[in-house]
Amino acid sequence: MPFSTQFAPTSQEVGSCIECGLCLPACPTFRITGLETASPRGRLTAMSAVLAGQAIDETFTEMMDGCLQCMACETVCPAFVPFGRAMEGAKAEIAVARNSMSIRIRRLILGRFLAWRAVVRLATAAAAVLQRTRMSVLIPKALRSGFRSLRPLPIWSSSRVGRTSKPLGEGRSRGTVGLMVGCVMDPWFGQVNDVATRLLNMAGYVVVTSAEQSCCGALAAHDGSAQDARRLAHRNASAFGAVDMVAVTSAGCGAHMKQYEHWTEGGDIFAAKVRDITELVADAIDKGWLPTVDRIAGPIAIQDPCHLRHAQRVVDEPRMILQAAGHEPIEIDSTGTCCGAAGVYSVLQPELSGRLGVQKAEQVRAAGPRIVASANPGCEMQLRQHLGEGYQIAHPIEFYADAIGIMERGHS
Amino acid sequence: MSSALAGELRSILGDDGVLDRQLELHVYGKDSGITRGEPSVVAFPESTEDVVAVVKAAKRHGVSVVARGSGTGLAGGAVPLEPSLILALTRMNEIEVVDVENRSAWVGPGVINLDLSNHTYSDGLHFAPDPSSQSVCTIGGNIANNAGGLHCLSEGNTVNHVLALEVVTADGDVIELGGPAPDPIGLDLRAVMVGSEGTLGIVTRALIKLTPNPTAARTLLMSFRSVEDAAKTVSDVIAAGVIPAALEMMDRLMTVAVERFIDAGFPTDAEAVLLAEVSGHEAAVEAEAEIIRAIADDNNAIEARVASDAKERQRMWLGRKSAFGAIAQMNPDYYLHDTVVPRTKLVEMMRNIYEIAERHQITMLNVFHAGDGNLHPLMSFDASEEGVIERVKAAADELLAICVALGGSLSGEHGIGLEKRDSMGLVFNEYDLDAQARISEAFDPDGSMNPNKVLPSGSRCFDFGRPIPEGTWV
Ligand SMILES: Cc1cc2nc3c(=O)[nH]c(=O)nc-3n(C[C@H](O)[C@H](O)[C@H](O)COP(=O)(O)OP(=O)(O)OC[C@H]3O[C@@H](n4cnc5c(N)ncnc54)[C@H](O)[C@@H]3O)c2cc1C
Ligand code: SF4
Ligand code: SF4
């Protein structure tokens, strides 16, 4: 079956590739395998073959499933091929054309369960109990290593949605920021959201965490559950209809929400309001709304999440935040290669994901510092898994909050 | 037939060393040029022994062998024309030994050009040929196409940077050509191999000559009201005895396109912009930059300035290197020419280019290695537009003919491959072509190495009498 849905890669998207190959060295899967079939150019060639009438077969599915959707190819592409969009389209097509049981289960989890807070909290509570009892053997094997690299989970997490907090101290409000708390971010990385709220308040913003918000839909979109992704995008766009800006603490969610134009009507207007939290905090530091620390603290290795660096092109902000906290940011990788976490990729393609994780860990070790800043939960877990004991990993704004004395760094 | 071959290849290379599903083959049917083919199998050797075994197996099955690096060739060199085996060399990417003292390194053919330079950078050395595709293309592909780059004006093309080659021949023998000495004894077959585009054998290892990193460099940006003034500046600079490391020209359409793409700081109102780089010792580069600036001023430059710091310098070169990308955005299709004319004929050639572009109503942009007269007229078009392909082809043929009439050549650095093969007769007479065909025949009597590339069929004067050995692929 050739492409059949409205989400399919278009001939315009695919045809904008001039086949120059400049994306090849940036692509982690090409780098590791040396296969044109595991490269952006090869994947686009395959899409155009299907556009020309070729069936969506097993080979096509494998080629697309191998993609990390890390967007490194978009960063270097001279023709600005919208690769990420085309790949989401290809995934949506695969989901329809190859409607296997495992795909259906995945769609149920990514498209539905993640959006149900009660389900996520229940799962979190269960995981928290297993963490405390060290019973990780009860976790399915594919998920076990991911489980072990979680931060300590709360057994009972009261969700942050539905709250409003006002600017701290004097001064008038600089506007209202809607905080996207995220589906798993909320219970698993709640501290990052708390710090974000504090910093935004300090900077003079009103922070609202609309009760209507839901999972951003990125994982659903990346996995081909296009209808679910649309539904979630629509819901979030209306939930945050009234705010001036939307702050996102997970780079993966932010990257997706900045692309809402593809997923919901009026999504472009919404997308223009979306900011990664590092953008807002760096801006506030720059404007003097948040303090800069004089004290010199130690160096911190900086890891760029693909969905921040490549998808959102946010590179300087996390570094600036660390500098404002008195830390010296240490580069680990000049091109920002994917760490292999890549959403559900680590579960679906454990082998390649693992190789990239090992590679990233080697880069961190070579850089020196045993403290790493990463602005994305998935990357944080991947780093923790591959770095092992003795490394401290947190979000850049957590290091900043620590330095200006508004929080304790309570985890490793 | 080929599935039996694929099975044999799997027993040699393992399952993940062979691809033969339809879509995979389709993906390996093309390079960065415009022609497409369809291989029958793709093999990924990891060692010279693998290559030998694969070449022998292909021979047994009567299947020809097409080497492939990163597939960034622009002339269709890596396109399989007949049922062929694609020998993908990307996994032979080991930098074996770097001999800092003798400034050389043994490398695998799949090493990426820029990876080698990055690897040796801290030793104060680099691989001088720097094609705009250097972040992607392989050393093997550079050797096969005798690639050049921004710095080939002062450093020469790849042929000047290869000391020795290990080659697997069509029979599966391993031979070594050249040696560590700059002037090898016996016939210099190393130089024959460089630029042979995979038609004489497979390069499996190369001893590369490394070049010391310059200690100081200056980049100048010069803009002119006319292409003539810019071209005159180029000639005057060389005549003054200054050989810049790089000397590049862009015309107005090109600078406008680049500026739309990234902010390189190029003036968009000048008819031509020159970028020059001088490198070497601090005192020398200072003096040379001054000479170039004075010459530009004498030639009515609107502006001639030296980049004030490393950042500005990088920005200028990034602008030049992004030219290709800038074009990529104008239209879905492009056709890039790669012709050479004597430097003294630059102005005349440019005039002809503009005339041809206008007559065929094609957007033509120019960015090129002015120092050595290597032009890259770029036609930007949308192939879905009716009749445009014909106009592009007609314009391309005219360009080549004029270039040859002006005493120029078909290819400066991108190779002949498939796309210029049939124009070889424009520059070579039957005896010239026969000589080349004899060399090719000596290495590859069955014509099984990248067949039908470079030399047009019938190159051999007495082609008709050639016996076709039993069992070989025709
Ligand atoms: C954006 C862009 C910019 C470019 N800029 C330049 C430039 O500035 N200068 C320039 O010279 N070229 C340029 N090129 C052309 C191209 O990059 C070069 O020709 C390069 O050398 C090709 O290398 P590759 O590894 O991609 O080879 P491929 O395209 O894979 O192969 C090229 C040829 O080499 C043969 N071959 C490959 N490996 C071997 C081997 N180990 N043994 C024997 N034969 C082999 C193939 O059969 C084929 O004929 C550019 C191309 C692009 C897309
Ligand atoms: S860099 Fe862009 S245009 Fe070039 S091959 Fe890759 S996707 Fe295509
Ligand atoms: S998104 Fe990442 S993995 Fe996928 S093709 Fe692009 S660079 Fe490769």
Side-chain angles (χ1 to χ4, degrees):
Chain A
M1 182 159 89
F3 292 148
S4 63
T5 74
Q6 78 210 82
F7 304 104
T10 65
S11 52
Q12 204 178 15
E13 286 165 348
V14 174
S16 61
C17 170
I18 53 164
E19 301 174 325
C20 62
L22 291 180
C23 51
L24 266 58
C27 174
T29 58
F30 173 78
R31 275 289 188 173
I32 284 191
T33 62
L35 295 171
E36 182 80 30
T37 47
S39 79
R41 181 172 65 173
R43 291 179 176 126
L44 287 163
T45 304
M47 289 182 212
S48 83
V50 175
L51 271 168
Q54 159 113 40
I56 297 179
D57 60 4
E58 197 188 317
T59 321
F60 182 80
T61 308
E62 272 176 34
M63 281 175 71
M64 301 304 135
D65 281 351
C67 173
L68 297 149
Q69 294 173 281
C70 69
M71 309 302 167
C73 49
E74 276 198 13
T75 302
V76 297
C77 174
F80 293 158
V81 172
F83 185 90
R85 212 318 289 166
M87 180 54 76
E88 282 175 359
K91 294 275 192 164
E93 289 292 334
I94 290 172
V96 173
R98 303 178 70 79
N99 198 6
S100 70
M101 187 54 123
S102 67
I103 290 187
R104 282 207 297 275
I105 293 177
R106 247 156 57 203
R107 288 171 72 182
L108 201 60
I109 297 175
L110 302 178
R112 300 270 171 185
F113 288 1
L114 287 183
W116 288 340
R117 272 175 214 293
V119 174
V120 175
R121 266 155 66 194
L122 210 62
T124 304
V129 170
L130 294 179
Q131 257 184 350
R132 284 167 180 68
T133 51
R134 302 183 193 280
M135 296 275 277
S136 60
V137 279
L138 293 177
I139 302 271
K141 213 165 166 201
L143 303 176
R144 205 173 296 156
S145 52
F147 168 80
R148 291 200 177 117
S149 34
L150 282 168
R151 291 184 179 191
L153 297 175
I155 291 192
W156 179 247
S157 58
S158 61
S159 170
R160 285 153 188 84
V161 299
R163 299 180 191 166
T164 299
S165 62
K166 297 272 176 344
L168 298 177
E170 310 277 304
R172 58 199 166 81
S173 164
R174 296 200 159 95
T176 305
V177 174
L179 180 69
M180 180 74 185
V181 298
C183 50
V184 295
M185 208 49 206
D186 190 22
W188 295 5
F189 295 85
Q191 177 171 292
V192 181
N193 282 334
D194 290 342
V195 169
T197 309
R198 282 291 293 273
L199 291 176
L200 290 171
N201 286 157
M202 275 178 78
Y205 294 108
V206 176
V207 178
V208 296
T209 51
S210 157
E212 301 307 311
Q213 65 171 298
S214 187
C215 164
C216 71
L219 293 177
H222 289 176
D223 201 47
S225 305
Q227 298 295 357
D228 290 322
R230 273 176 72 123
R231 195 170 39 75
L232 295 171
H234 183 71
R235 180 161 166 186
N236 287 318
S238 48
F240 288 112
V243 300
D244 300 314
M245 284 188 283
V246 179
V248 190
T249 47
S250 145
C253 306
H256 181 65
M257 294 171 77
K258 285 182 179 180
Q259 296 283 319
Y260 266 9
E261 65 189 87
H262 300 305
W263 297 104
T264 179
E265 230 158 275
D268 48 341
I269 301 169
F270 175 84
K273 296 198 287 193
V274 177
R275 302 281 183 283
D276 185 76
I277 187 65
T278 58
E279 292 180 275
L280 286 171
V281 171
D283 179 60
I285 293 169
D286 192 43
K287 296 203 167 99
W289 303 342
L290 285 173
T292 298
V293 177
D294 289 334
R295 183 171 50 88
I296 303 220
I300 292 185
I302 184 137
Q303 183 262 353
D304 289 312
C306 296
H307 285 133
L308 198 58
R309 178 173 177 141
H310 301 303
Q312 302 189 52
R313 310 283 158 94
V314 173
V315 181
D316 295 337
E317 286 82 350
R319 291 162 175 74
M320 186 194 152
I321 292 170
L322 291 179
Q323 270 161 347
H327 293 287
E328 180 198 356
I330 304 290
E331 300 296 333
I332 59 170
D333 163 17
S334 62
T335 53
T337 315
C338 182
C339 68
V344 290
Y345 193 89
S346 51
V347 180
L348 300 177
Q349 307 270 340
E351 215 246 287
L352 257 178
S353 166
R355 284 171 74 174
L356 288 167
V358 169
Q359 183 179 311
K360 186 57 66 184
E362 273 163 14
Q363 288 172 343
V364 172
R365 287 193 197 101
R370 294 186 147 252
I371 309 177
V372 190
S374 171
N376 193 51
C379 308
E380 178 182 315
M381 288 167 60
Q382 176 85 340
L383 284 167
R384 190 166 293 127
Q385 178 182 339
H386 290 279
L387 280 169
E389 301 277 298
Y391 281 82
Q392 186 188 14
I393 309 154
H395 193 288
I397 64 168
E398 293 181 279
F399 291 112
Y400 177 73
D402 189 30
I404 63 171
I406 62 165
M407 83 162 225
E408 281 292 305
R409 254 187 281 148
H411 55 85
S412 71
Chain B
M1 174 187 76
S2 93
S3 61
L5 172 59
E8 200 171 325
L9 292 173
R10 286 207 165 84
S11 68
I12 302 167
L13 302 170
D15 279 346
D16 78 337
V18 182
L19 296 182
D20 67 343
R21 292 184 294 181
Q22 195 212 339
L23 190 60
E24 294 166 334
L25 298 175
H26 179 74
V27 166
Y28 275 91
K30 211 178 155 290
D31 59 8
S32 293
I34 55 176
T35 328
R36 168 171 284 290
E38 202 86 30
S40 42
V41 62
V42 188
F44 297 86
E46 291 182 17
S47 64
T48 303
E49 294 73 47
D50 283 351
V51 174
V52 169
V54 170
V55 166
K56 285 187 171 165
K59 193 180 161 83
R60 271 197 301 280
H61 289 261
V63 170
S64 58
V65 175
V66 179
R68 179 182 169 107
S70 291
T72 65
L74 292 164
V79 172
L81 285 181
E82 345 237 333
S84 327
L85 177 153
I86 292 267
L87 196 62
L89 295 150
T90 40
R91 290 185 185 164
M92 291 180 64
N93 60 352
E94 197 191 344
I95 299 173
E96 295 172 29
V97 259
V98 179
D99 182 345
V100 177
E101 219 150 89
N102 290 306
R103 294 179 183 162
S104 65
W106 273 108
V107 304
V111 171
I112 288 172
N113 176 310
L114 192 59
D115 285 357
L116 175 58
S117 289
N118 286 341
H119 185 88
T120 56
Y121 185 83
S122 56
D123 291 322
L125 299 169
H126 71 289
F127 179 51
D130 56 345
S132 305
S133 53
Q134 72 180 138
S135 63
V136 198
C137 60
T138 64
I139 302 280
N142 293 161
I143 292 170
N145 280 357
N146 191 18
L150 298 178
H151 287 85
C152 64
L153 178 57
S154 59
E155 302 286 355
N157 281 35
T158 303
V159 68
N160 306 102
H161 302 275
V162 173
L163 295 167
L165 294 171
E166 178 189 271
V167 173
V168 172
T169 67
D171 287 333
D173 296 331
V174 182
I175 57 175
E176 194 167 314
L177 309 174
D183 181 20
I185 44 173
L187 294 181
D188 188 0
L189 296 181
R190 165 192 66 176
V192 172
M193 190 58 61
V194 178
S196 65
E197 305 190 27
T199 62
L200 303 184
I202 309 296
V203 175
T204 47
R205 288 170 80 221
L207 180 62
I208 295 295
K209 185 173 113 187
L210 297 168
T211 305
N213 299 340
T215 51
R218 293 282 184 286
T219 295
L220 292 98
L221 177 78
M222 297 160 271
S223 57
F224 300 87
R225 279 181 200 89
S226 72
V227 173
E228 280 83 353
D229 284 344
K232 181 83 181 352
T233 304
V234 171
S235 302
D236 289 356
V237 165
I238 310 261
V242 177
I243 306 289
L247 188 50
E248 301 284 309
M249 197 193 294
M250 277 165 280
D251 66 3
R252 197 170 57 82
L253 273 181
M254 193 68 245
T255 51
V256 170
V258 168
E259 282 302 309
R260 214 182 300 136
F261 184 38
I262 61 163
D263 170 29
F266 296 158
T268 48
D269 50 353
E271 283 306 314
V273 166
L274 278 182
L275 269 186
E277 178 157 295
V278 285
S279 60
H281 291 293
E282 188 60 42
V285 296
E286 198 65 56
E288 287 182 346
E290 197 38 58
I291 294 173
I292 297 176
R293 183 162 48 192
I295 292 175
D297 283 341
D298 286 348
N299 284 301
N300 319 311
I302 305 173
E303 177 194 34
R305 71 187 155 90
V306 179
S308 54
D309 54 19
K311 216 168 169 177
E312 190 181 5
R313 189 178 147 235
Q314 272 164 11
R315 198 165 65 125
M316 288 177 182
W317 284 113
L318 186 67
R320 164 62 186 86
K321 290 191 178 178
S322 306
F324 194 81
I327 286 156
Q329 282 180 61
M330 298 180 62
N331 273 310
D333 302 282
Y334 67 93
Y335 187 81
L336 171 61
H337 246 292
D338 167 42
T339 56
V340 188
V341 292
R343 213 163 30 236
T344 48
K345 295 282 168 51
L346 263 183
V347 173
E348 203 174 334
M349 186 67 202
M350 290 295 287
R351 245 185 246 133
N352 277 299
I353 288 176
Y354 290 131
E355 191 273 319
I356 292 172
E358 189 169 334
R359 194 153 35 76
H360 291 284
Q361 293 169 11
I362 289 167
T363 310
M364 193 136 27
L365 304 91
N366 285 280
V367 50
F368 55 92
H369 313 313
D372 40 18
N374 186 184
L375 293 140
H376 291 321
L378 247 149
M379 303 184 223
S380 164
F381 59 97
D382 180 349
S384 62
E385 194 186 306
E386 184 112 13
V388 74
I389 292 275
E390 289 71 28
R391 298 207 311 272
V392 166
K393 278 193 122 88
D397 288 346
E398 281 178 39
L399 271 178
L400 269 187
I402 287 183
C403 161
V404 171
L406 290 176
S409 172
L410 297 178
S411 165
E413 53 188 22
H414 298 169
I416 300 296
L418 190 57
E419 286 164 19
K420 291 193 189 152
R421 181 191 62 190
D422 296 331
S423 303
M424 288 282 277
L426 288 175
V427 265
F428 296 113
N429 67 27
E430 56 193 296
Y431 300 105
D432 301 338
L433 287 175
D434 182 52
Q436 294 197 27
R438 279 164 189 258
I439 297 270
S440 163
E441 214 173 284
F443 276 91
D444 178 24
D446 304 340
S448 61
M449 299 307 252
N450 207 2
N452 296 320
K453 300 288 169 59
V454 188
L455 296 176
S457 61
S459 291
R460 188 80 161 79
C461 281
F462 311 105
D463 230 2
F464 50 83
R466 181 168 155 194
I468 297 161
E470 204 105 52
T472 53
W473 150 96
V474 193

